[in-house]
């Protein structure tokens, strides 16, 4: 008996969901990325967000990543 390949059945559903999510994205033109950070670091970032007047974590994270890339010589990401 042929063995069923895992994950094949969900492939279409996943792409449909991501396409509809992209259409209603609150950050058009930006790719959603899941990153894992330590819990205490996340807590500190949330606190920073509150202190900065509720600036979204995505904005803070993007700014920090830009700074990192620029210090590594990728000047096209400079603000």
């Amino acid at each position: 008996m042929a063995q069923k390949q895992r994950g094949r059945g969900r492939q279409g559903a996943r792409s449909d969901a991501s396409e509809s999510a992209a259409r209603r994205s609150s950050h058009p033109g930006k790719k959603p990325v899941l990153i894992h950070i330590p819990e205490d670091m996340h807590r500190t970032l949330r606190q920073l967000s509150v202190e900065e007047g509720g600036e979204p974590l995505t904005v803070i994270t993007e700014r920090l990543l830009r700074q990192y890339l620029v210090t590594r010589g990728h000047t096209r990401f400079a603000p």
Side-chain angles (χ1 to χ4, degrees), residues 2-74:
Q3 209 175 23
K4 190 175 172 185
Q5 286 185 335
R6 296 181 126 203
R8 281 272 185 180
R10 289 202 231 158
Q11 193 82 16
R14 178 176 281 181
S15 64
D16 290 345
S18 62
E19 286 174 17
S20 64
R23 273 182 259 137
R24 65 174 185 266
S25 172
S26 59
H27 303 283
K30 300 197 178 180
K31 181 174 178 62
V33 178
L34 177 65
I35 60 170
H36 295 274
I37 60 173
E39 196 172 326
D40 58 341
M41 189 182 291
H42 182 258
R43 218 176 1 258
T44 303
L45 283 169
R46 302 266 319 156
Q47 183 61 39
L48 181 62
S49 169
V50 169
E51 290 170 3
E52 301 222 354
E55 190 174 35
L57 285 181
T58 52
V59 173
I60 293 170
T61 305
E62 183 179 347
R63 185 172 61 240
L64 292 170
L65 288 171
R66 279 183 186 281
Q67 289 172 0
Y68 176 78
L69 289 169
V70 170
T71 60
R72 295 293 187 152
H74 297 275

